């Protein structure tokens, strides 16, 4: 059902409570008075919602994206952000993956299109194919894709916020489908086939959250602490949960996920563009010998053979 909620406050605690209505578990880390905070959220529920934020003073905010992917567009003032500690280019549309986003800003306007991970997965056929949604880039793939995404996001915001269109269900559905399709194409989202038990819907939710976090951030410098935070468990707790559910450890699952990405990277590159050492480094392998051995065991050829094919 289409919703529209807007608020203005000068109180930091109330502002934090308003943010938490959109992103549970979020918190202001710093906020300088005098302070004016404005928030408006429109959308159709779990699939697509659009949040607009205005903050008049310098502030630092930590936001938890849970089962949601956000695509942000910032304007005015100063705005810097990270997604799971990866710096974002906020001069153009930027993608906020499930996990923790942090921002440092002053006197800015921000629009975030929130996309339900489940809705995106269904849109690209992940559920039907037994695969997992993968977000390849935190920025649009091309300048044309960035421009088109801005057009689609503003169009959707206009449709969802126009009260005269509130009873037009087909228009809302078409707009939602357009937003999902545009996000998939603009940011290169794909379905990754996974043969592990991590695709089993019966798996504990904490392990599913951790596994999805690993898949979404396989190239990032993450470790057991970040995985535990994504699962909302202690380090010991997530280790036990992985052992019980998957008969493996979180760090081994991370290593296997990275190893799955390496062949595509090598196969779509040439020796003039990259080296085996560089690909190993990108996917978190600091020991080239161990990477080559694991790669050969998994794919029955050396990484160099894949690169030179």
């Amino acid at each position: 059902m289409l919703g529209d909620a807007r608020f203005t406050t000068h109180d930091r605690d109330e502002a934090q409570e308003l943010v938490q209505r959109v992103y549970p578990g979020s918190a202001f880390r710093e906020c300088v008075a005098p302070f004016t905070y404005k928030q408006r959220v429109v959308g159709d529920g779990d699939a697509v919602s659009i949040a607009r934020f205005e903050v008049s003073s310098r502030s630092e905010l930590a936001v938890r994206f849970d089962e949601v992917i956000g695509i942000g567009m910032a304007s005015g003032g100063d705005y810097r952000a990270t997604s799971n500690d990866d710096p974002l280019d906020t001069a153009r549309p930027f993608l906020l993956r499930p996990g923790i986003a942090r921002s440092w800003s002053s006197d800015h306007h921000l629009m975030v299109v929130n996309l339900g991970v489940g809705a995106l997965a269904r849109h690209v056929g992940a559920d039907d194919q037994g695969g997992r949604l993968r977000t390849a880039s935190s920025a649009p793939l091309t300048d044309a894709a960035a421009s088109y995404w801005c057009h689609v996001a503003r169009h959707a915001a206009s449709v969802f916020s126009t009260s005269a269109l509130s009873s037009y269900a087909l228009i809302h559905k078409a707009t939602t489908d357009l937003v999902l399709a545009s996000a998939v194409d603009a940011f290169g989202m794909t379905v990754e086939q996974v043969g592990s038990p991590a695709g089993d819907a019966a798996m504990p939710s904490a392990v599913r959250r951790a596994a999805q976090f690993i898949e979404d951030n396989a190239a990032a410098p993450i470790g057991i602490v970040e995985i535990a935070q994504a699962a909302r468990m202690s380090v010991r707790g997530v280790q036990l949960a992985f052992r019980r559910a998957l008969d493996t450890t979180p760090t081994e699952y991370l290593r296997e996920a990275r190893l799955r990405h390496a062949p595509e990277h090598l196969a779509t590159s040439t020796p003039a563009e990259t080296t085996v050492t560089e690909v190993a480094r990108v996917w978190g392998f600091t020991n080239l010998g161990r990477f080559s051995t694991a790669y050969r065991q998994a794919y029955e050829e050396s990484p160099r053979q894949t690169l030179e094919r």
Side-chain angles (χ1 to χ4, degrees):
M1 177 180 295
L2 192 69
D4 187 345
R6 66 181 81 191
F7 304 92
T8 299
T9 184
H10 303 287
D11 181 80
R12 167 179 167 165
D13 291 339
E14 185 177 11
Q16 179 165 292
E17 190 274 332
L18 291 172
V19 175
Q20 290 176 347
R21 294 185 190 182
V22 187
Y23 309 110
S26 303
F28 276 97
R29 304 298 188 192
E30 178 186 359
C31 187
V32 176
F35 173 75
T36 300
Y37 175 85
K38 297 181 180 180
Q39 173 179 304
R40 185 180 184 185
V41 182
V42 297
D44 70 344
D46 294 337
V48 176
S49 67
I50 300 175
R52 292 180 182 270
F53 306 96
E54 295 182 32
V55 182
S56 67
S57 66
R58 190 175 78 250
S59 61
E60 178 183 345
L61 182 63
V63 176
R64 178 183 292 278
F65 284 80
D66 189 10
E67 304 298 327
V68 171
I69 288 173
I71 300 178
M73 295 190 297
S75 62
D78 175 51
Y79 185 83
R80 295 175 293 119
T82 64
S83 177
N84 298 315
D85 294 328
D86 291 333
L88 298 170
D89 178 5
T90 59
R92 49 199 313 237
F94 52 91
L95 189 143
L96 300 155
R97 293 183 171 90
I100 301 296
R102 290 183 170 84
S103 65
W104 299 262
S105 63
S106 178
D107 194 24
H108 76 283
H109 296 235
L110 177 68
M111 181 168 78
V112 181
V113 180
N114 299 297
L115 309 170
V117 170
L120 276 169
R122 289 190 295 273
H123 194 80
V124 295
D127 287 353
D128 294 337
Q129 299 177 35
R132 179 179 295 122
L133 183 72
R134 177 187 174 194
T135 56
S137 174
S138 62
L141 298 181
T142 65
D143 289 342
S147 178
Y148 181 70
W149 170 257
C150 291
H151 170 76
V152 168
R154 293 184 180 115
H155 167 71
S158 175
V159 170
F160 292 150
S161 61
T162 301
S163 58
L165 296 176
S166 61
S167 61
Y168 289 83
L170 291 179
I171 292 178
H172 297 155
K173 183 180 185 306
T175 303
T176 295
D177 289 344
L178 174 64
V179 171
L180 294 171
S182 300
V184 167
D185 277 354
F187 289 85
M189 300 180 192
T190 59
V191 174
E192 180 178 276
Q193 295 299 320
V194 180
S196 74
D200 187 351
M203 186 171 49
S205 59
V207 178
R208 284 204 307 274
R209 285 194 297 269
Q212 184 66 60
F213 174 78
I214 289 171
E215 295 296 338
D216 288 341
N217 299 277
I222 61 173
I224 185 62
V225 173
E226 291 77 15
I227 294 170
Q229 289 174 343
R232 289 180 240 156
M233 302 180 74
S234 67
V235 169
R236 179 60 176 161
V238 77
Q239 289 172 330
L240 291 174
F242 264 72
R243 180 60 68 188
R244 290 168 181 162
L246 303 177
D247 194 26
T248 189
T249 66
T251 51
E252 180 61 20
Y253 188 94
L254 173 60
R255 190 191 74 88
E256 292 174 355
R258 287 170 165 169
L259 195 62
R260 287 199 303 272
H261 289 292
E264 180 183 0
H265 191 157
L266 290 163
T268 56
S269 303
T270 68
E273 296 171 331
T274 191
T275 65
V276 171
T277 300
E278 176 62 16
V279 172
R281 185 196 64 78
V282 166
W283 294 107
F285 294 91
T286 57
N287 186 302
L288 182 60
R290 291 178 184 172
F291 169 69
S292 298
T293 298
Y295 190 98
R296 184 181 291 276
Q297 290 174 345
Y299 303 111
E300 298 184 348
E301 67 176 12
S302 71
R304 178 167 293 281
Q305 287 173 309
T306 304
L307 178 62
E308 293 178 347
R309 271 211 308 269

